[in-house]
């Protein structure tokens, strides 16, 4: 399994030791089957995942928010689920 990460302060040593590749958020969303959020809400001004980010995700991809709820635009997420209950494609 490949591990992609998006981090404004990448730890290159950790990444090399654990075979992690740093990419942009858009690249990560487009390529990932599972996206897990671990950002502190204070580090992100507003939602990190909204309508545009959800559209980038693959059909059937999973979004796991282990951080604060405000990192995901819940209205955009609800619209996406209502329109595409089996995946994000065509959101």
């Amino acid at each position: 399994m490949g591990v992609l990460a998006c981090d404004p302060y990448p730890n290159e040593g950790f990444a090399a030791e654990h075979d992690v590749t740093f990419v942009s958020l858009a690249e990560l969303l487009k390529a990932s089957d599972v996206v897990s959020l671990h950002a502190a809400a204070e580090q992100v001004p507003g939602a990190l995942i909204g309508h545009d980010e959800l559209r980038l995700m693959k059909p059937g991809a999973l979004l796991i928010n282990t951080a604060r709820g405000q990192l995901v635009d819940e209205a955009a997420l609800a619209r996406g689920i209502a329109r595409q209950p089996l995946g994000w494609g065509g959101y």
Side-chain angles (χ1 to χ4, degrees):
M1 171 179 82
V3 178
L4 302 177
C6 177
D7 192 330
Y9 309 104
N11 182 330
E12 299 294 343
F14 178 88
E17 184 177 332
H18 298 283
D19 203 22
V20 174
T21 303
F22 288 108
V23 296
S24 70
L25 179 59
E27 290 174 280
L28 185 142
L29 294 172
K30 288 176 187 176
S32 298
D33 296 314
V34 178
V35 175
S36 183
L37 303 179
H38 301 273
E42 303 82 44
Q43 296 174 326
V44 181
L48 182 64
I49 304 294
H51 173 81
D52 293 338
E53 291 76 22
L54 291 170
R55 287 185 60 129
L56 294 174
M57 294 177 69
K58 293 166 70 172
L62 300 176
L63 175 62
I64 302 168
N65 185 6
T66 63
R68 297 288 186 197
Q70 62 261 37
L71 293 181
V72 177
D73 178 342
E74 292 179 2
L77 181 61
R79 285 191 305 273
I81 290 170
R83 290 183 185 146
Q84 299 296 327
L86 299 178
W88 297 115
Y91 173 90

